[in-house]
Amino acid sequence: MRTLIVYYSLGGTTRKLAEALAKTLSADVAEVRCSRYGRGTIDFLKACYDSLMSRSPEVEVNHALPQTYDLVLVGGPVWAGHIAAPIRTYLSSRRGQFKRMAFFLTSGGVSTNRTLTEMAEIAGATPQATLALRTADVLGEKYAAAVDAFVRPLKSKAAA
């Protein structure tokens, strides 16, 4: 099964999770890049505002087309209760191009149910599985069991 992991990470937390998922699934990795946001306070506020307002900034992705993969995992941080704006752009620009999908999120602790629903609506697809982890758990490397539980059904559906 060919698997692609697509992620956006401003501070490195989601990148860390994406790399752990890629290792577990032997997946290719594509990073979504967006020059609109930096790591300063003003840029972070701008990023949150853009997500809150459902804006879609320009992005670059360094990998193949999602339709050439059997499974695509898409992930990013939660900003202001919404998916990070660069992931919004990625999902909306590739709507309908996914054979199978799964979503993963990192957040400061806010509820992620609305964000996962938002991602499915933007992508026009229902995810096969979802994973939402708190930033503190990713940074503290307290996520192995959650990652295993997340990938188990993805692997079993591929074998079926």
Side-chain angles (χ1 to χ4, degrees), residues 22-142:
K23 184 176 179 182
T24 302
L25 291 168
S26 300
D28 293 336
V29 178
E31 181 177 7
V32 175
R33 295 190 177 150
C34 181
S35 61
R36 179 166 168 77
Y37 311 115
R39 295 189 69 186
T41 302
I42 298 299
D43 282 336
F44 179 72
L45 293 172
K46 179 172 47 173
C48 288
Y49 182 76
D50 284 355
S51 288
L52 187 63
M53 300 307 293
S54 300
R55 292 190 174 154
S56 295
E58 288 188 31
V59 299
E60 295 177 19
V61 183
N62 65 348
H63 214 280
L65 301 173
Q67 62 268 33
T68 63
Y69 287 85
D70 302 308
L71 173 64
V72 179
L73 282 68
V74 179
V78 176
W79 290 346
H82 297 274
I83 188 60
I87 290 297
R88 171 183 296 285
T89 300
Y90 176 80
L91 288 172
S92 64
S93 68
R94 286 151 181 88
R95 184 179 175 90
Q97 296 180 15
F98 305 99
K99 293 177 186 174
R100 291 177 50 226
M101 297 189 75
F103 300 143
F104 62 98
L105 297 172
T106 57
S107 78
V110 299
S111 173
T112 57
N113 291 337
R114 179 176 66 181
T115 309
L116 292 166
T117 300
E118 176 185 29
M119 291 174 74
E121 289 171 358
I122 295 166
T126 301
Q128 304 260 316
T130 61
L131 173 65
L133 293 174
R134 291 174 354 111
T135 299
D137 291 336
V138 176
L139 296 178
E141 298 191 11
K142 299 175 184 173

